[in-house]
Amino acid sequence: MSSIFAKIIAREIPADIVYEDELVLAFRDIAPQAPVHILLIPKREIATANDVTPADEAALGRLMLVAAKLAAIEGIAEDGYRLLINCNEHGGQEVFHLHMHLVGGRSLGPMLAK
Ligand code: 5GP
């Protein structure tokens, strides 16, 4: 079953899209947790990090390249930022289309909430 992110790719629901190419899409999170909060997704629907296959290598490598590029464009590369991928219940995943969070623009504190 398709997630809300498939609808964003198809432009069926609006999103503040900041980057797109043939493999990936990036858009601002609807409920930002920091001054910069961008979601990067492969266009091919991969439900979770558990479902990654060798065919996804190019798209997932591209996510890293685009994340670094967007961090520079957003002006947070020098100070630093966090890249996160949540998986399933313990990871706190809410949308089952694999996505990388690019979060920054302030000091983010310890990596994990206690
Ligand atoms: P997860 O918890 O699955 O790692 O993160 C899902 C993220 O998607 C959350 O940060 C949430 O705010 C964001 N999100 C959920 N629905 C939408 C939406 O319709 N549009 C956008 N731009 N972000 C969304």
Side-chain angles (χ1 to χ4, degrees):
M1 210 169 65
S2 274
S3 78
I4 193 106
F5 292 172
K7 293 190 169 61
I8 289 176
I9 293 170
R11 308 303 205 268
E12 288 169 13
I13 62 165
D16 185 356
I17 293 171
V18 294
Y19 179 88
E20 180 170 27
D21 64 27
E22 79 283 10
L23 291 176
V24 306
L25 185 73
F27 49 93
R28 294 190 194 279
D29 197 291
I30 204 166
Q33 313 247 339
V36 175
H37 189 169
I38 291 170
L39 301 174
L40 299 100
I41 65 173
K43 284 188 169 173
R44 188 178 99 75
E45 196 160 31
I46 307 166
T48 80
N50 292 332
D51 303 301
V52 166
T53 72
D56 301 314
E57 267 190 54
L60 298 180
R62 185 71 59 82
L63 282 193
M64 275 303 307
L65 291 172
V66 174
K69 184 201 251 303
L70 290 175
I73 290 170
E74 296 286 322
I76 59 172
E78 192 71 18
D79 285 341
Y81 52 90
R82 192 166 287 160
L83 299 174
L84 286 168
I85 297 175
N86 294 322
C87 181
N88 277 343
E89 188 183 347
H90 282 192
Q93 185 174 5
E94 290 172 1
V95 177
F96 288 83
H97 181 136
L98 187 149
H99 50 282
M100 178 184 281
H101 297 254
L102 164 61
V103 188
R106 65 171 169 81
S107 180
L108 297 168
M111 188 174 74
L112 297 176
K114 296 274 186 263

